[in-house]
Amino acid sequence: MGNVIILGSQWGDEGKGKIVDLFAERFDIVARYQGGHNAGHTVFIGEKKFVLKLIPSGILRPGKQAVIGNGLVIDPAALLSEIETLESAGVAVAANLFISNRAHVLFPAHRMMEKMSEGREGRVSIGTTSRGIGPCYEDKIARRGIRIADLLDTEVFRAQYDSVMQEKVVIARALGIDSELDLNAIRAEYEAFAERIRPMVRDTAVLLNNAIRDGKTVMFEGAQGTMLDIDHGTYPFVTSSSASAGGACTGTGVAPTRISGVIGVSKAYITRVGGGPFPTEALDHSGELIRSRGKEFGAVTGRPRRCGWFDAPLLRYTATINGFDSIVVTKLDVLDEFEKIPVCVGYRIGGKEVCGMPPTVTEIAKIEPVYESVPGWNTSTFGIANYDDLPAKAKDYIAFLESRTGVEVGCISTGPERNQTIVRPGSRFEMLVG
Ligand code: GDP
Ligand code: IMO
Ligand code: MG
């Protein structure tokens, strides 16, 4: 056991929340490293459903510490409301949650800027979650962002806030948009948020590195997925942060030399929310069937997710980018009713074989997926917790995914609950996490 990164290997919503919650038991600390409240990580514990947005899913395990790393953008209103919801459901948050003093603060003006750019004529709409995530990261990279440490220093905060926000109003006016934001009221509101957040703020890079030095273990929880990564995803149809494994180091201040392994989470098929190319999208009734059986509607926005078939070239690509030691295949049960299951095993463009992932969305949109059909098992796998109890054809499907991706499937999820999970004995996954 060591420090392990668990992240999405597709376009998000792979079931990271369930997997992180389940295995958080074996670690001392769970740390988020990027994104914001665009994430929606669902965890079922018995009858209770939790949707974690900014707070690491590990918070649901009593006694575990949870860290919001420097790589995140934090809307304090969203964070405080999430804390309240969890506390009122009996989860002890305040005592176990630590927030990086270097994380960036998200303001209502960021949502306004996003609305402007998403709605503007001639601008390609990304189909974002409308949370203001992109514009907040824009300010970070432009070196005018306001960080948690700045928010806590009233004098510094007031000066920074007035300067940054006035600029936004000027931009809005130049674009002919009436800003309805009451900047003074928002500033006062954020000053009040600061006092509520203050007791949880730490230098979390120091906290994590000291813990590791003392022999404690950390699980890093990715948000979104590698195909939404700002550098490696289907740019520009991506989110604005580093969702892939490298982001865990820059987003927490823990060095690559401290990481023992990387695990990818993948659905037994694939989904995507928002715009952008999607080579294996199933636009017929089988896509509908996946959506209804998999309850594929956004955990944050409620939008129907686009559904399609497992894409092995895509997984090979994300396995390379992240160096996956093992993958978790979730939602196997959703495929229980299919006679045949197509799996994309290769890409062609204009009839020519394509190696790797093309860099532009124009090329990705032209991909002609090469499918191989695998026989379905036509019986329920829901809730199966032992590998030996899986129907032979479901085992064959898993073996087929392994052979076409070149990555071990060390864990299989057969339902939303904790006990509906198979860990394969002797796997690299078991060694790292189990
Ligand atoms: P995340 O963002 O990666 O944490 O994933 P989401 O929570 O957005 O979406 C995954 C959805 O699938 C959630 O509603 C989970 O409760 C559910 N889920 C996770 N694993 C399984 C599984 O193996 N089978 C089924 N049927 N549902 C699952
Ligand atoms: P989790 O962590 C799936 C998508 C949005 C949009 C694009 C950019 O639950 O897997 P943004 O608001 O981030 O600027 O939107 O990224 N997106 C997600 N899709 N799961 C998520 O998070 C996502 N977070 C953002 O739909 O296409
Ligand atoms: Mg989600």
Side-chain angles (χ1 to χ4, degrees), residues 13-18 40-42 44 305 331 333 413-416:
D13 301 327
E14 297 92 346
K16 300 175 292 293
K18 164 183 164 161
H41 297 178
T42 316
F44 279 94
R305 295 174 179 154
K331 306 190 91 161
D333 54 293
S413 173
T414 56

Side-chain angles (χ1 to χ4, degrees), residues 1 4 6 15-30 57-58 61 64 217-219 263 265 328 330 410-413 418 420-424 429-430 432-434:
M1 285 269 299
V4 175
I6 299 197
K16 300 175 292 293
K18 164 183 164 161
I19 299 302
V20 169
D21 162 69
L22 177 58
F23 296 103
E25 200 190 6
R26 325 274 170 93
F27 293 79
D28 298 296
I29 307 177
V30 179
S57 306
R61 293 283 185 178
K64 303 293 173 189
T217 53
V218 183
M219 178 196 274
I263 287 165
V265 185
V328 181
T330 62
C411 175
I412 301 159
S413 173
R418 286 172 172 172
Q420 298 170 321
T421 315
I422 298 166
V423 175
R424 292 178 78 183
F429 180 89
E430 188 185 49
L432 284 167
V433 176

Side-chain angles (χ1 to χ4, degrees), residues 90-108:
V91 182
V93 181
N96 298 315
L97 180 66
F98 301 99
I99 302 164
S100 169
N101 51 9
R102 290 175 172 82
H104 280 249
V105 183
L106 192 152
F107 294 90

Side-chain angles (χ1 to χ4, degrees), residues 293-310:
R293 286 190 52 81
K295 302 195 178 75
E296 295 296 354
F297 296 89
V300 169
T301 57
R303 290 180 291 176
R305 295 174 179 154
R306 299 158 65 192
C307 300
W309 303 113
F310 189 91

